[in-house]
Amino acid sequence: MDGLARAAVRAGALVAENAEVTFVKPLEKKPVQPTNSLQLQIHWRHSGRIIRKLVTAHGVLLATNAGGLHLAEKIFHAPPDPKLTFALATAPLTKKQIAALGLSSGRPFYTLDLPYLWGRLFETRSFRTKSKSKNRRMIFGSGLVPAFGEALRARTGKRRESLAGQNFQRIWSGLEFENIRRGPSLQRLKTLEQRVRSLHPALKDIRITHCWGGPILLTNNFVPIFRAHPTNKNLIFAGAYSGHGVALSVHLGNWAAQALLNNRQLPNWN
């Protein structure tokens, strides 16, 4: 994320941290305003205060995935499904262990069984200050909460407070209340660790250094949603990558920029 932010700033983008977009709507047409303009309500936390501001934009790309469902509204034919997915990182592996796993090339992999297990090598610098060597570790991921085909159970009495101090729609449809240290999320992490240790003898006793979970957005047919609002072509949603967003988000972000400049048509996927 830091690398993408730096690249965006170098390209001329302004990054507004601690700012919440509470709604996006078409602007009433006026002679002095271009057609298809959009209005955004912004709540910005600055120096202990909440600053409310309306911003007018010619084009808006909604690319916050599970965090942007309430802004997209009529873009969805069928609402996508927010879920948590899980990953873990291992302690450094030896060259012998990496070779035994068949991963000397550094190529990522995923298994054929469902829910599939994916894995990839990553490098970290040695903690020894005088050493220029890099440690090679593994990241593995698998599992969903709620499980595929299941919906998030409704919770009562727990609502997210917006930056304005008012009850507002849950940013991840309630997933923000999940705790990976207990319940179904903890069970998914335990299952993930068991799968990793049973994948190959070289991993049987490997030390797990980090575990985490994060939101993704799924569609029923696993086809991403890349579509404009039915009443305003300058409001585009790109997301629901079903766990493949690292590559697809960059590709479709470039495509969306071309579409907003009227240099390329959006696909007719769904």
Side-chain angles (χ1 to χ4, degrees):
M1 292 299 295
D2 288 345
L4 286 174
R6 287 193 294 269
V9 170
R10 286 196 299 268
L14 297 176
V15 179
E17 296 183 283
N18 301 314
E20 177 184 25
V21 179
T22 60
F23 70 75
V24 181
K25 67 178 182 180
L27 195 65
E28 294 182 6
K29 293 183 179 180
K30 298 180 180 179
V32 295
Q33 294 285 358
T35 58
N36 290 325
S37 292
L38 298 152
Q39 189 176 68
L40 294 79
Q41 173 74 58
I42 309 294
H43 292 169
W44 180 39
R45 185 184 295 276
H46 181 67
S47 299
R49 297 185 301 125
I50 301 297
I51 299 174
R52 297 171 177 82
K53 189 173 183 179
L54 291 174
V55 175
T56 300
H58 171 68
V60 173
L61 173 63
L62 299 176
T64 53
N65 217 25
L69 299 184
H70 65 286
L71 299 174
E73 295 182 344
K74 297 180 181 179
I75 289 180
F76 303 129
H77 296 161
D81 197 7
K83 295 184 183 295
L84 287 182
T85 191
F86 305 91
L88 58 79
T90 72
L93 279 72
T94 65
K95 290 183 178 180
K96 184 177 180 180
Q97 287 174 311
I98 294 172
L101 292 170
L103 296 174
S104 296
S105 67
R107 183 177 299 171
F109 75 91
Y110 65 90
T111 63
L112 295 178
D113 57 328
L114 295 175
Y116 68 75
L117 174 73
W118 60 265
R120 62 178 291 269
L121 283 167
F122 75 105
E123 293 184 345
T124 58
R125 290 195 177 278
S126 172
F127 291 114
R128 293 175 296 176
T129 57
K130 294 183 179 180
S131 175
K132 295 183 179 180
S133 64
K134 293 183 178 181
N135 296 317
R136 304 188 79 186
R137 304 166 180 253
M138 286 291 299
I139 295 179
F140 295 94
S142 183
L144 297 172
V145 168
F148 185 73
E150 296 181 4
L152 190 68
R153 288 177 296 179
R155 295 173 181 260
T156 59
K158 291 185 177 181
R159 293 186 62 83
R160 171 177 173 265
E161 293 292 324
S162 74
L163 294 181
Q166 299 173 346
N167 284 335
F168 197 64
Q169 181 157 347
R170 295 170 178 175
I171 191 169
W172 295 335
S173 302
L175 287 178
E176 64 269 32
F177 299 123
E178 289 295 323
N179 189 333
I180 67 170
R181 293 181 175 86
R182 62 173 182 260
S185 295
L186 177 59
Q187 185 57 49
R188 296 295 189 281
L189 284 171
K190 288 182 177 180
T191 300
L192 172 58
E193 182 175 343
Q194 292 169 359
R195 290 187 69 185
V196 169
R197 295 192 183 283
S198 62
L199 183 65
H200 192 279
L203 297 171
K204 181 179 178 181
D205 299 315
I206 192 69
R207 184 167 61 90
I208 306 301
T209 60
H210 299 80
C211 299
W212 66 93
I216 61 173
L217 202 58
L218 271 67
T219 58
N220 289 332
N221 56 4
F222 299 102
V223 176
I225 298 174
F226 188 37
R227 187 187 306 131
H229 194 279
T231 64
N232 193 312
K233 67 176 184 178
N234 291 337
L235 177 58
I236 296 175
F237 182 93
Y241 303 119
S242 300
H244 297 279
V246 172
L248 287 173
S249 60
V250 176
H251 174 65
L252 295 189
N254 180 52
W255 191 339
Q258 296 178 58
L260 289 171
L261 293 172
N262 295 316
N263 291 332
R264 191 175 182 182
Q265 296 294 319
L266 295 179
N268 186 23
W269 292 339
N270 37 39

